[in-house]
């Protein structure tokens, strides 16, 4: 009696997967590489991967995690839900999937980045606009005050995540920001150049 087993339920080697499967662990989050994408600090994981396991890094970039196609947080929930057709399993996995997506979404919504730009105010005055400090959980009021003291000039919070400093201090900020807030690496600071406002 041969019962037809849907292909998705077959346990064992899958096509397109190279065996033996060695579980590699990430040096950043210490999880198996498949889990890195759910780690809030996935960017750092990727950097670690690129440096230490370039082959794995390439593979993950291609979208194949090697576990049968559950790639991307969004797909993972669907894929596992489909694979396990039993209602109990389905429920449990779906719930897990949603939680994961939430974590990822929060991160995507606020990419950590500080942007500096210069813009003209009047005929020969320019101001420097700093945005993104809030993505590093920095108190904008304190930051504005700090800049004001540092450059001996006007500096104020002008938006949700925006500080305007009177004067052209953009170049100095590239040194001063990482100095004041070591968590903001210079790589996180973007120079937007001259902006019209
Ligand atoms: Zn990782």
């Amino acid at each position: 009696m041969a019962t037809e087993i849907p292909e998705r339920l077959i346990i064992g080697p899958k096509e397109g997967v190279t065996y033996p499967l060695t579980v590699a662990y990430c040096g950043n989050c210490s999880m198996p590489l498949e889990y890195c994408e759910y780690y809030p600090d996935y960017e750092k994981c990727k950097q670690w991967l690129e440096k230490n396991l370039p082959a794995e890094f390439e593979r993950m970039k291609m979208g194949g995690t090697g576990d049968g196609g559950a790639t991307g947080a969004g797909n993972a929930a669907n894929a596992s839900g489909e694979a396990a057709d039993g209602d109990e399993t389905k429920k449990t996995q779906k719930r897990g999937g949603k939680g994961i997506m939430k974590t990822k979404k929060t991160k995507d919504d606020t990419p950590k980045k500080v942007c500096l730009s210069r813009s003209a105010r009047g005929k020969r005055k320019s101001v420097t606009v700093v945005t993104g400090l809030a993505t590093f959980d920095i108190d904008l009021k304190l930051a504005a005050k700090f800049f004001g003291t540092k450059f001996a000039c006007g500096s104020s919070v002008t938006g949700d995540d925006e500080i305007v400093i009177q004067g052209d201090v953009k170049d100095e900020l590239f040194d001063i920001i990482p100095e004041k807030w070591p968590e903001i690496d210079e790589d996180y600071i973007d120079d937007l150049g001259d902006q019209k406002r």
Side-chain angles (χ1 to χ4, degrees):
M1 45 170 267
T3 321
E4 282 256 337
I5 300 172
E7 204 197 331
R8 63 179 191 276
L9 294 180
I10 294 175
I11 298 166
K14 293 193 178 89
E15 239 179 276
V17 179
T18 324
Y19 293 91
L21 277 177
T22 43
V23 182
Y25 292 91
C26 171
N28 181 54
C29 66
S30 80
M31 298 290 277
L33 298 181
E34 284 84 353
Y35 294 91
C36 281
E37 62 184 301
Y38 309 123
Y39 191 66
D41 206 8
Y42 185 35
E43 284 305 311
K44 280 249 175 67
C45 288
K46 280 197 283 192
Q47 284 167 15
W48 181 90
L49 259 186
E50 195 173 15
K51 211 181 267 174
N52 297 279
L53 291 169
E56 291 292 327
F57 177 73
E58 283 304 315
R59 203 162 64 97
M60 286 173 78
K61 260 202 324 203
M62 300 294 289
T65 51
D67 64 356
T71 39
N75 295 340
N78 290 338
S80 43
E82 271 167 29
D85 240 354
D87 357 10
E88 271 312 305
T89 337
K90 194 171 181 177
K91 249 185 209 163
T92 322
Q93 297 209 346
K94 218 174 186 175
R95 219 181 287 139
K98 268 186 187 164
I100 285 158
M101 282 167 75
K102 207 171 169 187
T103 320
K104 201 177 156 106
K105 207 175 171 194
T106 319
K107 186 178 156 41
D108 282 351
D109 283 346
T110 52
K112 286 192 171 181
K113 186 119 241 164
V114 172
C115 296
L116 306 179
S117 61
R118 183 171 42 210
S119 68
R121 275 290 156 82
K123 271 190 178 151
R124 48 184 85 136
K125 266 192 189 165
S126 45
V127 299
T128 308
V129 182
V130 185
T131 59
L133 285 173
T135 64
F136 288 90
D137 291 327
I138 286 164
D139 186 318
L140 293 184
K141 275 188 190 161
L142 291 181
K145 206 171 169 191
F146 165 74
F147 293 137
T149 311
K150 191 85 186 169
F151 301 118
C153 65
S155 166
S156 52
V157 180
T158 51
D160 266 352
D161 188 359
E162 188 186 85
I163 291 173
V164 169
I165 305 169
Q166 306 298 320
D168 179 6
V169 293
K170 186 156 61 69
D171 295 337
E172 286 96 318
L173 286 174
F174 277 95
D175 296 325
I176 283 165
I177 288 176
E179 210 173 274
K180 168 82 176 165
W181 297 284
E183 70 268 36
I184 309 180
D185 192 87
E186 218 187 302
D187 293 347
Y188 283 121
I189 308 176
D190 254 3
D191 186 348
L192 300 183
D194 293 303
Q195 302 272 310
K196 282 215 173 119
R197 283 165 62 85

